[in-house]
Amino acid sequence: FCEICLTNNCDGSAGKIATMIALVSSDNERFEVSEEAASQSQTIRNMIEDGCADGGIPLPNVTSSVLAKVLEYCNKHAATTTPDAASTEAVIGSAGTRAVLGPARHGPVVLRAVPCRAAGRRCPEGCRLDEGQDAGADQATFKIENDFRPEDVEKIRKENAWAFEE
Amino acid sequence: MPRQAAAAVAAEAVMEVEEVGEPEDQEERWARLLPELLSEVVRRVEASGCERWPARKDVVSCACVCRRWREAAVAVVRPPAESGKITFPSSLKQPGPRESPMQCFIKRNKKNSTFFLYLGFTNSPMDKGKFLMAARRFRRGPHTEYIISLDAEGLSQGSHAYMGKLRSDFWGTNFKIYDSKPPYDGAKASSSGSSRRFGSRRISPQVSAGNYEVGQISYKYNLLKSRGPRRMYCTLECPSTQETWDNALKTKFRKPTGPTILRNKAPRWHEHLQCWCLNFHGRVTVASVKNFQLVAAADPSDPTSTVDEETVLLQFGKVDDDIFTMDYRQPLSAFQAFAISLSSFGTKLACE
């Protein structure tokens, strides 16, 4: 097991010191992952490139148990260039929570279930690993494409923002 | 959290009407929902506690997911004149309810010359409310303008959230209300300020820079000169209440409705109380020269016209230092009611 790239089949090409990025779950647990693994999410990649990742990247909508499973997925696929686009993995977390990871345009989408009332019951709630707008979160939850015309997107975003204004 | 609750309600609605499939197929089904099912989902979201704000934001969320969801949501939701409810920002320029007024309140920030309009959650204006619109006062040479916006932060004509403005003459006795959008199809824009820049922001080319005159308000001294409340006259181009609505957002073709004329209801002089009194039905509790009630007035140019001169269409008045109630009903829209109420702050016409 290679401590640097966090895989079992390290080929030594990561002999250079890999940069570690800290991801902080909603319950304040820090996860150190390689930059390569974390960069599978476009949002995190942008933050790294813009130099915003120094203090650790907070992920307020992901708990530590879910994040651990997600990072397992990321680490597995960091070594390959293109993750299998069709694959969807279901991962069972602890305490009856269930994380379903699916591919998305910009890195894995975490479909997170709140603790289910009965084991095996589907609760299609979700959040992205990267932050989306409110409409985006609903789209991620239900896997619906945003098909608004470009000229309408801004107006609709404003409408949604107004509805949520305190 | 409420949005996740709405998602859960919607999910349950779908599960009830559809057979539960394999977990991997479940999410795919959302993208292929039949329009009737979508409408049913939105109807259930609305019925399950989303009739009132703040929960009502979940209904708006449904309309912002994709085109098919939006079509379902705006078909299920009825405009304020039918439902008595404000849902979308476009509800603010639609006529208010017919039977009983929409109860709102305005909070004033004297330091910043800003005003915030809220829809009351409860009858009491001291409780919180749903934010509707904001306005800020600017001096523009000889005029004073109140810029009205959907965005409490972005109060400029260049902003996407710009709704319109109220503009007063130098003496604060005559005001004009301008709408950022045409009040009916084919309306002509006025020439007021269409190419202005506000602050350092250039007006985005996508944002309509036109302004359409939709009302005039004038204040006059009472005939008894300073010993009586001032008189108000309003002439408004109101949004139509007659047309059938395609959905909550639009009608087929908007025709002009012609001028609606309002005047303020004359208070009664109470000799024993030595004051002018208007019955505000408990909604106004502090005496102020700004308080008023507007009723329909007969059109002076049409001697045969008859109007209901008793029903109060707009009532505005003080309840605390910087809090005022504003209750309106059709044919007025929230936007017009707000603009008229702002003129009460703007007029310099005081009296004893």
Side-chain angles (χ1 to χ4, degrees), chain A residues 102-127:
Chain A
R105 280 183 287 268
H106 302 300
V109 173
V110 180
L111 299 177
R112 176 192 60 156
V114 295
C116 302
R117 273 173 247 135
R121 187 173 155 193
R122 266 153 261 103
C123 308
E125 301 197 2
C127 61

PDB file of all heavy atoms in Angstrom, chain A residues 102-127:
ATOM      1  N   GLY A 102     -22.636   8.148  -8.536  1.00  0.00           N
ATOM      2  CA  GLY A 102     -22.783   7.979  -9.967  1.00  0.00           C
ATOM      3  C   GLY A 102     -21.887   8.938 -10.684  1.00  0.00           C
ATOM      4  O   GLY A 102     -21.436   9.922 -10.115  1.00  0.00           O
ATOM      5  N   PRO A 103     -21.633   8.674 -11.941  1.00  0.00           N
ATOM      6  CA  PRO A 103     -20.772   9.584 -12.689  1.00  0.00           C
ATOM      7  C   PRO A 103     -21.552  10.832 -13.065  1.00  0.00           C
ATOM      8  O   PRO A 103     -22.752  10.812 -13.159  1.00  0.00           O
ATOM      9  CB  PRO A 103     -20.440   8.775 -13.949  1.00  0.00           C
ATOM     10  CG  PRO A 103     -21.624   7.889 -14.127  1.00  0.00           C
ATOM     11  CD  PRO A 103     -22.140   7.577 -12.763  1.00  0.00           C
ATOM     12  N   ALA A 104     -20.872  11.894 -13.235  1.00  0.00           N
ATOM     13  CA  ALA A 104     -21.494  13.123 -13.709  1.00  0.00           C
ATOM     14  C   ALA A 104     -20.460  13.821 -14.563  1.00  0.00           C
ATOM     15  O   ALA A 104     -19.339  13.376 -14.683  1.00  0.00           O
ATOM     16  CB  ALA A 104     -21.924  14.003 -12.552  1.00  0.00           C
ATOM     17  N   ARG A 105     -20.865  14.936 -15.163  1.00  0.00           N
ATOM     18  CA  ARG A 105     -19.932  15.613 -16.051  1.00  0.00           C
ATOM     19  C   ARG A 105     -18.658  16.032 -15.339  1.00  0.00           C
ATOM     20  O   ARG A 105     -17.585  16.027 -15.890  1.00  0.00           O
ATOM     21  CB  ARG A 105     -20.612  16.840 -16.658  1.00  0.00           C
ATOM     22  CG  ARG A 105     -21.521  16.505 -17.808  1.00  0.00           C
ATOM     23  CD  ARG A 105     -22.090  17.776 -18.392  1.00  0.00           C
ATOM     24  NE  ARG A 105     -23.085  18.354 -17.516  1.00  0.00           N
ATOM     25  CZ  ARG A 105     -24.385  18.110 -17.596  1.00  0.00           C
ATOM     26  NH1 ARG A 105     -24.842  17.273 -18.498  1.00  0.00           N
ATOM     27  NH2 ARG A 105     -25.226  18.662 -16.767  1.00  0.00           N
ATOM     28  N   HIS A 106     -18.799  16.460 -14.102  1.00  0.00           N
ATOM     29  CA  HIS A 106     -17.624  17.025 -13.434  1.00  0.00           C
ATOM     30  C   HIS A 106     -17.300  16.260 -12.173  1.00  0.00           C
ATOM     31  O   HIS A 106     -17.254  16.810 -11.105  1.00  0.00           O
ATOM     32  CB  HIS A 106     -17.901  18.492 -13.069  1.00  0.00           C
ATOM     33  CG  HIS A 106     -18.252  19.324 -14.257  1.00  0.00           C
ATOM     34  ND1 HIS A 106     -17.403  19.478 -15.317  1.00  0.00           N
ATOM     35  CD2 HIS A 106     -19.349  20.016 -14.555  1.00  0.00           C
ATOM     36  CE1 HIS A 106     -17.989  20.233 -16.225  1.00  0.00           C
ATOM     37  NE2 HIS A 106     -19.156  20.590 -15.793  1.00  0.00           N
ATOM     38  N   GLY A 107     -17.068  14.995 -12.282  1.00  0.00           N
ATOM     39  CA  GLY A 107     -16.674  14.275 -11.085  1.00  0.00           C
ATOM     40  C   GLY A 107     -17.857  13.578 -10.469  1.00  0.00           C
ATOM     41  O   GLY A 107     -18.996  13.805 -10.859  1.00  0.00           O
ATOM     42  N   PRO A 108     -17.605  12.734  -9.485  1.00  0.00           N
ATOM     43  CA  PRO A 108     -18.698  11.901  -8.964  1.00  0.00           C
ATOM     44  C   PRO A 108     -19.778  12.741  -8.293  1.00  0.00           C
ATOM     45  O   PRO A 108     -19.494  13.696  -7.601  1.00  0.00           O
ATOM     46  CB  PRO A 108     -17.994  10.991  -7.963  1.00  0.00           C
ATOM     47  CG  PRO A 108     -16.726  11.667  -7.629  1.00  0.00           C
ATOM     48  CD  PRO A 108     -16.347  12.476  -8.824  1.00  0.00           C
ATOM     49  N   VAL A 109     -21.011  12.391  -8.532  1.00  0.00           N
ATOM     50  CA  VAL A 109     -22.140  13.003  -7.852  1.00  0.00           C
ATOM     51  C   VAL A 109     -22.487  12.126  -6.663  1.00  0.00           C
ATOM     52  O   VAL A 109     -22.645  10.932  -6.805  1.00  0.00           O
ATOM     53  CB  VAL A 109     -23.362  13.086  -8.793  1.00  0.00           C
ATOM     54  CG1 VAL A 109     -24.582  13.569  -8.037  1.00  0.00           C
ATOM     55  CG2 VAL A 109     -23.055  14.002  -9.946  1.00  0.00           C
ATOM     56  N   VAL A 110     -22.559  12.731  -5.516  1.00  0.00           N
ATOM     57  CA  VAL A 110     -22.918  11.958  -4.332  1.00  0.00           C
ATOM     58  C   VAL A 110     -24.419  12.049  -4.131  1.00  0.00           C
ATOM     59  O   VAL A 110     -24.952  13.127  -3.940  1.00  0.00           O
ATOM     60  CB  VAL A 110     -22.209  12.509  -3.077  1.00  0.00           C
ATOM     61  CG1 VAL A 110     -22.599  11.689  -1.866  1.00  0.00           C
ATOM     62  CG2 VAL A 110     -20.710  12.517  -3.272  1.00  0.00           C
ATOM     63  N   LEU A 111     -25.097  10.934  -4.241  1.00  0.00           N
ATOM     64  CA  LEU A 111     -26.505  10.922  -3.889  1.00  0.00           C
ATOM     65  C   LEU A 111     -26.578  10.378  -2.475  1.00  0.00           C
ATOM     66  O   LEU A 111     -26.336   9.215  -2.242  1.00  0.00           O
ATOM     67  CB  LEU A 111     -27.293  10.021  -4.861  1.00  0.00           C
ATOM     68  CG  LEU A 111     -27.241  10.443  -6.319  1.00  0.00           C
ATOM     69  CD1 LEU A 111     -27.989   9.454  -7.181  1.00  0.00           C
ATOM     70  CD2 LEU A 111     -27.838  11.829  -6.493  1.00  0.00           C
ATOM     71  N   ARG A 112     -26.865  11.238  -1.557  1.00  0.00           N
ATOM     72  CA  ARG A 112     -26.777  10.815  -0.174  1.00  0.00           C
ATOM     73  C   ARG A 112     -28.160  10.601   0.365  1.00  0.00           C
ATOM     74  O   ARG A 112     -29.064  11.385   0.132  1.00  0.00           O
ATOM     75  CB  ARG A 112     -26.097  11.914   0.643  1.00  0.00           C
ATOM     76  CG  ARG A 112     -26.039  11.623   2.118  1.00  0.00           C
ATOM     77  CD  ARG A 112     -25.627  12.864   2.859  1.00  0.00           C
ATOM     78  NE  ARG A 112     -26.593  13.930   2.603  1.00  0.00           N
ATOM     79  CZ  ARG A 112     -26.793  14.954   3.428  1.00  0.00           C
ATOM     80  NH1 ARG A 112     -26.097  15.026   4.535  1.00  0.00           N
ATOM     81  NH2 ARG A 112     -27.651  15.901   3.146  1.00  0.00           N
ATOM     82  N   ALA A 113     -28.361   9.552   1.075  1.00  0.00           N
ATOM     83  CA  ALA A 113     -29.641   9.315   1.728  1.00  0.00           C
ATOM     84  C   ALA A 113     -29.533   9.721   3.182  1.00  0.00           C
ATOM     85  O   ALA A 113     -28.536   9.461   3.813  1.00  0.00           O
ATOM     86  CB  ALA A 113     -30.019   7.852   1.625  1.00  0.00           C
ATOM     87  N   VAL A 114     -30.580  10.352   3.679  1.00  0.00           N
ATOM     88  CA  VAL A 114     -30.630  10.579   5.127  1.00  0.00           C
ATOM     89  C   VAL A 114     -30.897   9.214   5.747  1.00  0.00           C
ATOM     90  O   VAL A 114     -31.337   8.304   5.056  1.00  0.00           O
ATOM     91  CB  VAL A 114     -31.737  11.562   5.501  1.00  0.00           C
ATOM     92  CG1 VAL A 114     -31.439  12.922   4.938  1.00  0.00           C
ATOM     93  CG2 VAL A 114     -33.080  11.069   5.027  1.00  0.00           C
ATOM     94  N   PRO A 115     -30.641   9.064   7.047  1.00  0.00           N
ATOM     95  CA  PRO A 115     -30.890   7.750   7.646  1.00  0.00           C
ATOM     96  C   PRO A 115     -32.302   7.274   7.318  1.00  0.00           C
ATOM     97  O   PRO A 115     -33.277   7.954   7.592  1.00  0.00           O
ATOM     98  CB  PRO A 115     -30.725   8.025   9.155  1.00  0.00           C
ATOM     99  CG  PRO A 115     -29.803   9.176   9.222  1.00  0.00           C
ATOM    100  CD  PRO A 115     -30.049   9.995   7.994  1.00  0.00           C
ATOM    101  N   CYS A 116     -32.393   6.116   6.671  1.00  0.00           N
ATOM    102  CA  CYS A 116     -33.681   5.636   6.208  1.00  0.00           C
ATOM    103  C   CYS A 116     -34.472   5.041   7.346  1.00  0.00           C
ATOM    104  O   CYS A 116     -33.925   4.429   8.242  1.00  0.00           O
ATOM    105  CB  CYS A 116     -33.485   4.566   5.141  1.00  0.00           C
ATOM    106  SG  CYS A 116     -32.553   5.155   3.754  1.00  0.00           S
ATOM    107  N   ARG A 117     -35.783   5.237   7.273  1.00  0.00           N
ATOM    108  CA  ARG A 117     -36.621   4.683   8.318  1.00  0.00           C
ATOM    109  C   ARG A 117     -36.575   3.174   8.313  1.00  0.00           C
ATOM    110  O   ARG A 117     -36.538   2.532   9.332  1.00  0.00           O
ATOM    111  CB  ARG A 117     -38.066   5.161   8.142  1.00  0.00           C
ATOM    112  CG  ARG A 117     -38.311   6.495   8.821  1.00  0.00           C
ATOM    113  CD  ARG A 117     -39.680   7.060   8.509  1.00  0.00           C
ATOM    114  NE  ARG A 117     -39.561   8.253   7.714  1.00  0.00           N
ATOM    115  CZ  ARG A 117     -40.306   8.516   6.639  1.00  0.00           C
ATOM    116  NH1 ARG A 117     -41.170   7.656   6.232  1.00  0.00           N
ATOM    117  NH2 ARG A 117     -40.151   9.627   5.966  1.00  0.00           N
ATOM    118  N   ALA A 118     -36.628   2.579   7.155  1.00  0.00           N
ATOM    119  CA  ALA A 118     -36.517   1.126   7.083  1.00  0.00           C
ATOM    120  C   ALA A 118     -35.343   0.790   6.194  1.00  0.00           C
ATOM    121  O   ALA A 118     -35.101   1.472   5.213  1.00  0.00           O
ATOM    122  CB  ALA A 118     -37.799   0.550   6.513  1.00  0.00           C
ATOM    123  N   ALA A 119     -34.631  -0.246   6.542  1.00  0.00           N
ATOM    124  CA  ALA A 119     -33.458  -0.603   5.748  1.00  0.00           C
ATOM    125  C   ALA A 119     -33.888  -0.884   4.328  1.00  0.00           C
ATOM    126  O   ALA A 119     -34.903  -1.524   4.084  1.00  0.00           O
ATOM    127  CB  ALA A 119     -32.799  -1.845   6.361  1.00  0.00           C
ATOM    128  N   GLY A 120     -33.144  -0.418   3.391  1.00  0.00           N
ATOM    129  CA  GLY A 120     -33.425  -0.721   1.998  1.00  0.00           C
ATOM    130  C   GLY A 120     -34.433   0.229   1.372  1.00  0.00           C
ATOM    131  O   GLY A 120     -34.660   0.187   0.174  1.00  0.00           O
ATOM    132  N   ARG A 121     -35.041   1.093   2.151  1.00  0.00           N
ATOM    133  CA  ARG A 121     -36.013   2.017   1.550  1.00  0.00           C
ATOM    134  C   ARG A 121     -35.280   3.121   0.810  1.00  0.00           C
ATOM    135  O   ARG A 121     -34.315   3.672   1.290  1.00  0.00           O
ATOM    136  CB  ARG A 121     -36.871   2.628   2.648  1.00  0.00           C
ATOM    137  CG  ARG A 121     -37.945   3.405   1.962  1.00  0.00           C
ATOM    138  CD  ARG A 121     -38.965   3.957   2.760  1.00  0.00           C
ATOM    139  NE  ARG A 121     -39.471   5.097   1.986  1.00  0.00           N
ATOM    140  CZ  ARG A 121     -40.248   6.007   2.491  1.00  0.00           C
ATOM    141  NH1 ARG A 121     -40.569   5.925   3.742  1.00  0.00           N
ATOM    142  NH2 ARG A 121     -40.673   6.988   1.772  1.00  0.00           N
ATOM    143  N   ARG A 122     -35.778   3.441  -0.301  1.00  0.00           N
ATOM    144  CA  ARG A 122     -35.113   4.459  -1.115  1.00  0.00           C
ATOM    145  C   ARG A 122     -35.535   5.860  -0.716  1.00  0.00           C
ATOM    146  O   ARG A 122     -36.698   6.150  -0.563  1.00  0.00           O
ATOM    147  CB  ARG A 122     -35.467   4.272  -2.595  1.00  0.00           C
ATOM    148  CG  ARG A 122     -34.475   3.446  -3.335  1.00  0.00           C
ATOM    149  CD  ARG A 122     -35.107   2.740  -4.511  1.00  0.00           C
ATOM    150  NE  ARG A 122     -35.437   1.370  -4.207  1.00  0.00           N
ATOM    151  CZ  ARG A 122     -36.658   0.939  -3.948  1.00  0.00           C
ATOM    152  NH1 ARG A 122     -37.664   1.765  -3.960  1.00  0.00           N
ATOM    153  NH2 ARG A 122     -36.888  -0.310  -3.681  1.00  0.00           N
ATOM    154  N   CYS A 123     -34.555   6.704  -0.481  1.00  0.00           N
ATOM    155  CA  CYS A 123     -34.867   8.100  -0.201  1.00  0.00           C
ATOM    156  C   CYS A 123     -34.094   8.925  -1.205  1.00  0.00           C
ATOM    157  O   CYS A 123     -32.925   9.229  -0.990  1.00  0.00           O
ATOM    158  CB  CYS A 123     -34.423   8.492   1.209  1.00  0.00           C
ATOM    159  SG  CYS A 123     -35.042   7.388   2.477  1.00  0.00           S
ATOM    160  N   PRO A 124     -34.689   9.261  -2.292  1.00  0.00           N
ATOM    161  CA  PRO A 124     -33.917   9.951  -3.327  1.00  0.00           C
ATOM    162  C   PRO A 124     -33.642  11.405  -3.009  1.00  0.00           C
ATOM    163  O   PRO A 124     -34.143  12.283  -3.648  1.00  0.00           O
ATOM    164  CB  PRO A 124     -34.794   9.822  -4.571  1.00  0.00           C
ATOM    165  CG  PRO A 124     -36.166   9.713  -4.028  1.00  0.00           C
ATOM    166  CD  PRO A 124     -36.057   9.002  -2.717  1.00  0.00           C
ATOM    167  N   GLU A 125     -32.883  11.621  -1.993  1.00  0.00           N
ATOM    168  CA  GLU A 125     -32.423  12.976  -1.726  1.00  0.00           C
ATOM    169  C   GLU A 125     -30.963  13.020  -2.125  1.00  0.00           C
ATOM    170  O   GLU A 125     -30.312  12.004  -2.225  1.00  0.00           O
ATOM    171  CB  GLU A 125     -32.554  13.291  -0.243  1.00  0.00           C
ATOM    172  CG  GLU A 125     -33.978  13.150   0.224  1.00  0.00           C
ATOM    173  CD  GLU A 125     -34.188  13.840   1.553  1.00  0.00           C
ATOM    174  OE1 GLU A 125     -33.241  14.431   2.046  1.00  0.00           O
ATOM    175  OE2 GLU A 125     -35.300  13.756   2.060  1.00  0.00           O
ATOM    176  N   GLY A 126     -30.454  14.150  -2.318  1.00  0.00           N
ATOM    177  CA  GLY A 126     -29.070  14.140  -2.752  1.00  0.00           C
ATOM    178  C   GLY A 126     -28.398  15.470  -2.629  1.00  0.00           C
ATOM    179  O   GLY A 126     -29.001  16.483  -2.353  1.00  0.00           O
ATOM    180  N   CYS A 127     -27.118  15.444  -2.787  1.00  0.00           N
ATOM    181  CA  CYS A 127     -26.352  16.669  -2.847  1.00  0.00           C
ATOM    182  C   CYS A 127     -25.168  16.391  -3.754  1.00  0.00           C
ATOM    183  O   CYS A 127     -24.741  15.265  -3.912  1.00  0.00           O
ATOM    184  CB  CYS A 127     -25.881  17.075  -1.463  1.00  0.00           C
ATOM    185  SG  CYS A 127     -24.821  15.853  -0.705  1.00  0.00           S
TER     186      CYS A 127
END
